[in-house]
């Protein structure tokens, strides 16, 4: 039987960019001591207090169907948080609860794009972006953010691609680059969205991991509230990746219709997970800072080690869980370098090419192992890059 092109074409054909990751997993299964710095998974599990709250919620009876848009107490807690953090008044009707940021990316593109519409996104990008866009029947069009601009997108490039498009997807703090978009960049983006009548889909799942500068949510910029859909998640901020819990913030009408989409897809998020999320959000900023602290420390360690290196040059890493490293001086692609690092030194990092063409010749290091293993791995990476560049 023939399957739909929509589903067989999700990854766009060819490699999905995860070959190094799969190879590392195989090697681990064979018993090899690989240091895995590939995906964005915390090295701690979900906090015991959150798990206790989840368990208590099951015993209180939160095991049946829940509200499709999300339970009122969680929508209220998210609305309060967004209002406090951004200063833009946000009500529970502006909040849709979704099973993770990924589901939010899908729902927002469903809301913004009709079949065949063009959806813009910035390269380098989080690996699922083009597939998510294709998954709603839209055409994915990448706009490069160049290394020469330290991966800040140029609003002029977006304006050139914008005529006829329906939406633009951005991500700050950014995965994989670690770059935080400046207010100037965001103002330029906001101008283009207004001039070309684009929905702005703003992926802010790393908003609690800011090491330098300030995270600005573009929804707060003049004229943007009515056309911005913000994707948030508790995966990174609360180390709750497996609980699948996040949200979309947007205008009431958009949220209402995305709730209808939830009725026809996910049928809502588990009630006990929502209760645990309310508890976790109630722990406040100090708890979130505690979750983020190891990444800040390891980011500092990594940048210190990489400072002054010419064969492995770090991109500044102002936020998020990763450090992107420019290895173009080695003459290898990110993929070829990552494969050699894996086979010869048992260190697994993600090739920049896994995140598009703009980060070719770079590798992304996830700061997700304890400090000593991270510094040992970085030492091996620097050694290999230096040897190849010589
Ligand atoms: N956006 C970005 C930029 C990400 O890095 C991730 C996860 N790695 C997600 C969205 C999705 O995360 P989740 O579905 O776990 O919230």
């Amino acid at each position: 039987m023939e399957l739909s092109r929509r589903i067989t074409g999700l990854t766009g054909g060819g490699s999905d960019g995860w070959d190094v990751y799969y190879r590392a997993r195989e090697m681990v299964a064979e018993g090899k001591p690989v240091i895995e710095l590939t995906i964005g998974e915390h090295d701690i599990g979900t906090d015991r207090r959150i798990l206790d709250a989840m368990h208590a919620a099951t015993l209180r009876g939160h095991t049946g169907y829940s509200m499709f848009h999300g339970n009122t107490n969680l929508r209220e807690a998210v609305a309060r948080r967004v209002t406090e953090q951004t200063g833009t008044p946000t009500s529970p009707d502006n909040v849709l609860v979704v099973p993770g940021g990924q589901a939010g990316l899908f729902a927002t593109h469903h809301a913004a794009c009709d079949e065949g519409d063009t959806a813009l996104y910035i390269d380098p990008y989080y690996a699922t972006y083009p597939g998510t866009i294709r998954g709603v029947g839209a055409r994915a069009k990448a706009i490069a953010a160049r290394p020469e601009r330290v991966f800040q997108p140029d609003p002029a490039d977006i304006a050139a691609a914008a005529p006829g498009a329906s939406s633009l997807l951005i991500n700050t703090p950014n995965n994989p680059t670690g770059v935080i978009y400046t207010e100037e960049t965001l103002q330029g983006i906001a101008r283009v969205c207004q001039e070309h009548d684009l929905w702005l889909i703003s992926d802010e799942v790393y908003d609690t991991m800011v090491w330098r500068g300030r995270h600005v949510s573009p929804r707060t910029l003049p004229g943007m509230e009515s056309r911005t859909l913000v994707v948030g998640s508790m995966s990174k901020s609360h180390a709750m990746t497996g609980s699948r819990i996040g949200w979309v913030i947007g205008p009431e009408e958009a949220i209402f219709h995305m709730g209808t989409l939830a009725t026809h897809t996910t049928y809502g998020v588990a009630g006990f997970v929502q209760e645990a999320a309310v508890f976790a959000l109630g722990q406040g900023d100090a708890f979130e800072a505690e979750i983020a602290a190891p990444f800040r420390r390891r980011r500092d360690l990594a940048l210190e080690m990489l400072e002054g290196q010419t064969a492995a040059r770090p991109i500044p890493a102002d936020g998020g869980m990763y450090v992107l490293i420019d290895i173009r001086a080695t003459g290898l692609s990110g993929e070829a370098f990552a494969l050699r690092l894996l086979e010869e030194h048992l260190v697994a990092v993600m090739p920049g090419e896994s995140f598009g063409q703009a980060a070719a010749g770079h590798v992304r290091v996830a700061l997700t192992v304890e400090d000593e293993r991270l510094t040992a791995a970085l030492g091996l990476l620097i050694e290999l890059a230096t040897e190849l560049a010589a």
Side-chain angles (χ1 to χ4, degrees):
M1 279 302 293
E2 205 167 319
L3 288 161
S4 75
R5 280 189 300 278
R6 181 176 279 180
I7 198 157
T8 57
L10 263 187
T11 60
S15 148
D16 60 2
W18 290 76
D19 297 350
V20 179
Y21 170 73
Y22 296 133
R23 177 73 193 118
R25 293 268 81 202
E26 273 170 25
M27 289 167 73
V28 170
E30 289 159 10
K32 300 209 170 102
V34 175
I35 304 182
E36 288 182 277
L37 308 171
T38 48
I39 59 169
E41 180 90 85
H42 306 68
D43 49 328
I44 52 163
T46 303
D47 190 275
R48 177 66 201 252
R49 288 163 289 177
I50 298 176
L51 298 179
D52 285 343
M54 200 180 292
H55 184 216
T58 63
L59 300 179
R60 282 202 311 279
H62 289 279
T63 53
Y65 289 127
S66 52
M67 312 262 278
F68 308 128
H69 289 76
N71 290 349
T72 307
N73 57 346
L74 179 55
R75 295 176 84 191
E76 281 170 355
V78 174
R80 236 181 351 261
R81 171 197 177 85
V82 172
T83 305
E84 276 165 19
Q85 288 186 345
T86 67
T88 300
T90 302
S91 90
D93 291 333
N94 299 121
V95 180
L96 175 75
V97 174
V98 290
Q102 180 55 44
L105 289 166
F106 186 76
T108 49
H109 281 94
H110 233 296
C113 299
D114 273 314
E115 189 79 31
D117 281 4
T118 296
L120 308 175
Y121 65 107
I122 308 292
D123 174 358
Y125 52 85
Y126 172 52
T128 66
Y129 282 3
T132 303
I133 292 169
R134 283 190 288 264
V136 307
R139 295 188 323 166
K141 186 170 176 182
I143 300 161
R146 295 183 295 275
E148 302 79 60
R149 289 177 53 90
V150 202
F151 295 108
Q152 293 278 333
D154 187 341
D157 293 342
I158 301 172
S166 297
S167 63
L168 167 66
L169 168 59
I170 63 169
N171 169 223
T172 181
N174 188 268
N175 174 15
T177 63
V179 166
I180 292 181
Y181 290 4
T182 62
E183 203 156 340
E184 192 191 343
T185 297
L186 289 169
Q187 273 162 356
I189 287 173
R191 222 172 18 250
V192 174
C193 289
Q194 292 176 48
E195 276 167 20
H196 293 274
D197 200 22
L198 302 181
W199 281 102
L200 180 61
I201 298 173
S202 180
D203 178 343
E204 302 179 22
V205 305
Y206 293 99
D207 65 352
T208 62
M209 296 180 164
V210 175
W211 320 136
R212 208 174 62 135
R214 198 166 74 89
H215 166 67
V216 175
S217 175
R219 177 171 176 262
T220 64
L221 299 177
M224 290 306 289
E225 197 183 329
S226 60
R227 60 173 68 250
T228 305
L229 303 170
V230 176
V231 175
S233 169
M234 297 182 71
S235 288
K236 314 295 176 176
S237 59
H238 293 77
M240 290 180 72
T241 49
S243 293
R244 313 309 304 134
I245 182 83
W247 54 76
V248 174
I249 309 296
E252 275 181 37
E253 190 192 359
I255 295 297
F256 171 80
H257 287 289
M258 283 186 273
T260 308
L261 176 69
T263 313
H264 292 82
T265 51
T266 61
Y267 220 66
V269 175
F272 50 88
V273 172
Q274 296 196 53
E275 288 295 300
V278 170
F279 171 85
L281 290 175
Q283 302 309 296
D285 296 348
F287 180 81
E288 291 164 28
E290 208 181 293
I291 303 286
F295 297 98
R296 176 190 291 266
R297 189 180 66 238
R298 292 171 192 158
R299 172 263 188 200
D300 290 348
L301 273 174
L303 291 189
E304 208 174 286
M305 282 186 78
L306 289 159
E307 197 188 324
Q309 297 293 335
T310 50
R313 293 171 189 269
I315 309 306
D318 293 334
M321 294 171 105
Y322 319 93
V323 175
L324 189 71
I325 302 174
D326 181 351
I327 50 91
R328 286 176 294 176
T330 65
L332 295 188
S333 68
E335 181 148 29
F337 181 85
L339 279 171
R340 275 192 72 164
L341 188 64
L342 179 61
E343 299 294 345
E344 293 173 20
H345 297 286
L346 301 181
V347 173
V349 297
M350 290 297 283
E353 293 83 1
S354 301
F355 311 101
Q357 279 319 296
H362 292 65
V363 291
R364 189 196 73 174
V365 173
L367 305 170
T368 48
V369 298
E370 61 274 30
D371 302 11
E372 306 82 73
R373 275 160 59 83
L374 175 69
T375 49
L378 278 171
L380 293 165
L381 184 154
I382 292 168
E383 203 180 295
L384 178 64
T386 308
E387 181 192 309
L388 288 167

